[in-house]
Amino acid sequence: VATHFLKCISCSITPQTPRYDYYNEEKAEEDGVVELLDLNFDGCLDILWEENSGASGNTTYATFLFNQSIGAFQVSEPLSEISGLDIFDVKKKCLSSYLHIGSEEAGGEVYCWVKGKLVQTEVIYTKFNRRKDCFLHKRYLLQGRKTKLTSRKCTRESNWSR
């Protein structure tokens, strides 16, 4: 029944409704969290099923993309390996990851869909700078085998943003 329901709603979303969250506090610890997002920007909802949420706050998901040609969900190994997977930029068709490293540092990547393939395009790293009393955010653009520092800023906020 649940699979039939998901097939029915999977391709009936609009850009204004890119996310549906299922969260049942009583069952979350036992069953995990299920999120429905359009992860490959094809107009169909895909499934993120929380697989692991450690004490550090890093979360991994079993990820299933809806395949319109066969009318079913298929596991996506590459997306399932990304920690903290989320939508980053709908217009550019990009996803992001987040990895909590410690109390004073974190990192992440940006992945964009290019000609139907998922390509890592950026690396973002944040570390607390005690001398300057701020969080130093560094952003690197990946171009083939080259890496270019594109942004470096110190802020009071620990979160990095676009």
Side-chain angles (χ1 to χ4, degrees):
V1 174
T3 305
H4 176 71
F5 170 73
L6 290 173
K7 284 182 182 179
C8 290
I9 67 162
S10 185
C11 288
S12 62
I13 64 166
T14 66
Q16 291 77 32
T17 57
R19 175 190 293 265
Y20 292 89
D21 293 336
Y22 162 79
Y23 187 78
N24 179 329
E25 192 142 350
E26 292 174 14
K27 295 189 78 175
E29 211 169 293
E30 180 183 317
D31 296 340
V33 175
V34 174
E35 290 187 73
L36 302 176
L37 299 167
D38 184 7
L39 295 170
N40 55 355
F41 306 96
D42 65 353
C44 295
L45 289 173
D46 305 304
I47 299 173
L48 284 94
W49 190 292
E50 186 178 301
E51 225 175 17
N52 183 16
S53 184
S56 65
N58 297 324
T59 304
T60 56
Y61 300 91
T63 307
F64 303 87
L65 298 178
F66 187 76
N67 183 330
Q68 293 180 59
S69 62
I70 64 171
F73 292 92
Q74 294 181 308
V75 69
S76 171
E77 294 295 335
L79 291 177
S80 296
E81 294 174 4
I82 298 173
S83 177
L85 183 63
D86 205 354
I87 292 176
F88 186 71
D89 188 325
V90 174
K91 288 181 183 176
K92 293 182 180 178
K93 298 183 178 180
C94 296
L95 306 171
S96 64
S97 72
Y98 177 80
L99 184 62
H100 183 261
I101 301 167
S103 63
E104 296 182 347
E105 63 186 308
E109 293 94 20
V110 175
Y111 300 86
C112 297
W113 290 98
V114 179
K115 297 179 183 175
K117 295 192 183 233
L118 193 63
V119 177
Q120 185 180 2
T121 58
E122 292 181 69
V123 174
I124 302 159
Y125 179 73
T126 299
K127 185 171 184 171
F128 188 72
N129 184 323
R130 291 184 185 279
R131 196 169 39 97
K132 294 184 178 181
D133 193 31
C134 65
F135 287 93
L136 178 61
H137 306 277
K138 292 181 181 179
R139 192 171 194 149
Y140 299 90
L141 184 64
L142 305 177
Q143 298 171 319
R145 295 179 185 222
K146 296 180 181 179
T147 303
K148 178 182 176 185
L149 179 65
T150 57
S151 174
R152 179 187 170 110
K153 60 183 175 181
C154 246
T155 69
R156 297 275 179 206
E157 297 294 320
S158 62
N159 297 10
W160 51 269
S161 63
R162 288 177 209 104

